[in-house]
Amino acid sequence: MAVSYKKLRYLMVDRKISMAQLIRMSGITDYSARLLGKDQDVSTEVLTKVCAALGCEVQDIVDFLPEEKDKE
């Protein structure tokens, strides 16, 4: 299953938060932030830290998308 962090990016724009600010607020690594930016898998620990920093739930920042092969 693929993931999309488009909701996270929209939330960050709405709150005027840069990725550097999110890194400082949440304590995630630069590497984890790059993975989020590329819509790649991250650990639940990273998602938990981001949600705690933003005061939101996981479903507010991530969408789980079906894989292309799953659609057939």
Side-chain angles (χ1 to χ4, degrees):
M1 186 163 285
V3 294
S4 170
Y5 299 105
K6 190 181 294 187
K7 287 181 177 179
L8 172 60
R9 291 188 285 276
Y10 287 145
L11 183 64
M12 290 171 62
V13 168
D14 287 344
R15 296 186 184 185
K16 297 180 174 82
I17 298 172
S18 69
M19 188 56 79
Q21 289 171 312
L22 181 64
I23 290 169
R24 284 192 301 273
M25 291 168 56
S26 63
I28 63 172
T29 64
D30 290 341
Y31 178 71
S32 294
R34 283 195 301 272
L35 292 177
L36 289 170
K38 295 179 182 180
D39 289 336
Q40 295 182 349
D41 293 331
V42 296
S43 70
T44 54
E45 180 181 4
V46 169
L47 295 176
T48 301
K49 287 180 177 183
V50 169
C51 288
L54 296 175
C56 65
E57 301 291 326
V58 172
Q59 63 269 20
D60 297 329
I61 64 169
V62 64
D63 280 321
F64 296 98
L65 309 171
E67 296 282 341
E68 289 299 320
K69 63 183 175 193
D70 293 341
K71 290 182 182 179
E72 297 175 357

